[in-house]
C-alpha cells in the first residue's frame, strides 16, 4: 500500500485516542506452567512432552521452521522432512534418524502420543542448522532459523538495511520469568533505539513494554524487559534516560549511560518513520520519511539518518 499525507495527519489523533480503545492482550505467563516450545516465534499448539531429558513436538508444530516438505507415513509411523538439500527420516520407536541416507543416533526415539507421532525437537532442529535454546526456568524450548535473505541483510554495510534485518530476526527469551503483560490497547506503532552506528543490539518499545535484544548467530536474544508508566515522570537518575518511567522490570538492564542513540518512531496508519539522534544531554538530526512498502529496495520501517 502507499501511505498518504492525509493518513499521516490522522496518526496523532489515532495515537492520542488509542488509550481509550479496548483490545485483546496476549499473556505468555500460562506458557511457563508446563513445557512449551516456540519455533521461529510461533508457539507450538500441539502437545509438548519432555521424556528422558528430550523435548518432543508434533510434526505440524515444526512447520514454522522453514519452507520444508514434511510427510508422515501412517502405516510405517515414519516422518520425512525435506529441504535445504537434505532429507531427514525418523520413525517411531527408532533411536536413530537418517540424514541424507546417513544414520545418526538420537537421544530418544520418536514416540506415539494421543494418536500422533512426536519427534525430538533438538535433533531435527540441529539437522537443519537451526539454533536451539532451552530456557530451563520457563521450561520452554526456542528453535530459530532466520530466512537466508534476512541473514544476508544483517551483514549489509548499509546500516538501515542491517537494522531492519535485526528487527525481523526470530527471538529467544533469556529471561528467567514470564514476559511482562502488555497493556490491552494498541498504539499502532513501535519505537526503536539503536546505539549510534550499530545494528547488533537495540531496544524495542511496543505499547507499554520496552524490550532489549542482543543479536548472536542470526537470533535476537531478549535480555531485559520493562513496563512503562506514561503517566509518571521518569526520575532524573533513571539509567535508561530515553524511556518513560519504569514500574516493573525483569532481566538485567544494559549500561547505556554513555550511549548516543538513533531513535526511530514508526506509526502504522501513516506509514511514516520519524527519526532523531539523542544522548542524555541533547537531541539533533530530527526528520521523517514517508514510506512506500511497494517501492523497489524497501527493507522496512527503519531508515537512514543523514547526520549519523
Amino acid at each position: 500500500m502507499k501511505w498518504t499525507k492525509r493518513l499521516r495527519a490522522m496518526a496523532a489523533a489515532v495515537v492520542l485516542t488509542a488509550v481509550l480503545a479496548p483490545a485483546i492482550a496476549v499473556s505468555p505467563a500460562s506458557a511457563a506452567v508446563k513445557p512449551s516450545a516456540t519455533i521461529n516465534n510461533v508457539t507450538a499448539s500441539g502437545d509438548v512432552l519432555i521424556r528422558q531429558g528430550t523435548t518432543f513436538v508434533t510434526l505440524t508444530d515444526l512447520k514454522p521452521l522453514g519452507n520444508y516438505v514434511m510427510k508422515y507415513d501412517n502405516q510405517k509411523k515414519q516422518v520425512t522432512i525435506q529441504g535445504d538439500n537434505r532429507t531427514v527420516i525418523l520413525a517411531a520407536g527408532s533411536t536413530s534418524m537418517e540424514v541424507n541416507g546417513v544414520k545418526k543416533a538420537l537421544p530418544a526415539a520418536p514416540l506415539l502420543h494421543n494418536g500422533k507421532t512426536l519427534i525430538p525437537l533438538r535433533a531435527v532442529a540441529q539437522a537443519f542448522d537451526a539454533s536451539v535454546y532451552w530456557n530451563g526456568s520457563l521450561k520452554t524450548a526456542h528453535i530459530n532459523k532466520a530466512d537466508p535473505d534476512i541473514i544476508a541483510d544483517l551483514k549489509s554495510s548499509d546500516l538501515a538495511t542491517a537494522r531492519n534485518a535485526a528487527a525481523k530476526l526470530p527471538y529467544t527469551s533469556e529471561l528467567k520469568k514470564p514476559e511482562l503483560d502488555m497493556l490491552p490497547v494498541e498504539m499502532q506503532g513501535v519505537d526503536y533505539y539503536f546505539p549510534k552506528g550499530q545494528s547488533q543490539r537495540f531496544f524495542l518499545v511496543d505499547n507499554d513494554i520496552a524490550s532489549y535484544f542482543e543479536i548472536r548467530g542470526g537470533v535476537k536474544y531478549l535480555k531485559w524487559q520493562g513496563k512503562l508508566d506514561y503517566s509518571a515522570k521518569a526520575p532524573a537518575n533513571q539509567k535508561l534516560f530515553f524511556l518513560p518511567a519504569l514500574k516493573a522490570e525483569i532481566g538485567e538492564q544494559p549500561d547505556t549511560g554513555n550511549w548516543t542513540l538513533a531513535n526511530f518512531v514508526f506509526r502504522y496508519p501513516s506509514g511514516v518513520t520519524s527519526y532523531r539522534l539523542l544522548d542524555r544531554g541533547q537531541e539533533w538530526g530530527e526528520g521523517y520519511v514517508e514510506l512506500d512498502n511497494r517501492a523497489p529496495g524497501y527493507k522496512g520501517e527503519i531508515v537512514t539518518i543523514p547526520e549519523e
Side-chain angles (χ1 to χ4, degrees):
M1 63 180 174
K2 170 69 174 171
W3 291 296
T4 65
K5 293 182 178 179
R6 182 173 179 270
L7 281 175
R8 190 182 77 236
M10 294 167 57
V14 172
V15 173
L16 183 63
T17 58
V19 294
L20 302 178
I24 297 175
V26 178
S27 171
S30 60
V33 175
K34 60 182 181 179
S36 64
T38 65
I39 298 91
N40 278 347
N41 298 352
V42 179
T43 301
S45 59
D47 291 325
V48 178
L49 300 181
I50 298 179
R51 297 287 187 273
Q52 302 174 28
T54 298
T55 303
F56 292 84
V57 298
T58 68
L59 182 63
T60 300
D61 284 322
L62 271 181
K63 288 184 177 180
L65 186 62
N67 188 26
Y68 300 114
V69 176
M70 301 184 181
K71 301 176 182 178
Y72 179 67
D73 187 321
N74 189 52
Q75 187 174 16
K76 296 180 179 180
K77 307 300 180 187
Q78 180 176 286
V79 169
T80 302
I81 307 172
Q82 294 175 303
D84 289 345
N85 297 315
R86 69 197 76 180
T87 298
V88 174
I89 301 174
L90 308 94
S94 175
T95 55
S96 65
M97 68 177 178
E98 288 187 15
V99 180
N100 285 347
V102 178
K103 286 191 174 182
K104 296 182 179 292
L106 290 172
L111 53 87
L112 295 176
H113 177 75
N114 291 338
K116 292 186 176 182
T117 299
L118 300 188
I119 56 182
L121 181 57
R122 178 182 289 270
V124 173
Q126 291 179 335
F128 287 98
D129 299 326
S131 72
V132 181
Y133 179 86
W134 172 250
N135 189 323
S137 299
L138 301 180
K139 295 184 180 179
T140 301
H142 293 271
I143 308 300
N144 292 311
K145 185 174 183 180
D147 184 277
D149 289 340
I150 294 178
I151 295 299
D153 283 348
L154 188 65
K155 300 174 182 178
S156 174
S157 59
D158 179 74
L159 194 54
T161 297
R163 285 170 169 171
N164 277 300
K168 295 173 185 174
L169 287 172
Y171 88 97
T172 285
S173 175
E174 291 188 334
L175 302 177
K176 302 309 178 186
K177 296 180 181 180
E179 294 176 39
L180 296 170
D181 290 333
M182 186 175 292
L183 187 71
V185 299
E186 177 55 67
M187 290 181 66
Q188 302 199 13
V190 292
D191 299 358
Y192 299 96
Y193 294 87
F194 285 84
K196 184 175 181 289
Q198 297 185 30
S199 61
Q200 295 296 307
R201 49 183 175 167
F202 66 95
F203 286 84
L204 169 68
V205 176
D206 189 356
N207 276 8
D208 66 334
I209 300 297
S211 303
Y212 173 68
F213 299 94
E214 292 182 356
I215 295 167
R216 304 193 307 271
V219 177
K220 60 187 183 191
Y221 289 85
L222 178 59
K223 311 285 288 186
W224 173 89
Q225 268 195 339
K227 192 168 183 65
L228 307 176
D229 186 354
Y230 290 103
S231 66
K233 183 178 180 180
N237 63 348
Q238 180 169 291
K239 293 182 179 179
L240 303 179
F241 62 91
F242 49 93
L243 293 179
L246 297 170
K247 56 183 177 181
E249 61 179 308
I250 48 177
E252 184 177 353
Q253 289 186 16
D255 183 3
T256 62
N258 296 322
W259 286 16
T260 296
L261 292 159
N263 173 219
F264 306 90
V265 179
F266 174 70
R267 294 295 175 258
Y268 306 129
S270 60
V272 169
T273 292
S274 301
Y275 59 79
R276 60 177 175 157
L277 296 170
L278 72 154
D279 56 28
R280 188 174 283 277
Q282 61 178 331
E283 299 179 10
W284 69 100
E286 296 93 341
Y288 71 89
V289 175
E290 294 187 39
L291 303 173
D292 181 358
N293 61 4
R294 300 173 304 175
Y298 176 81
K299 293 295 185 180
E301 60 263 22
I302 299 170
V303 299
T304 297
I305 300 179
E307 291 80 2
E308 190 178 9

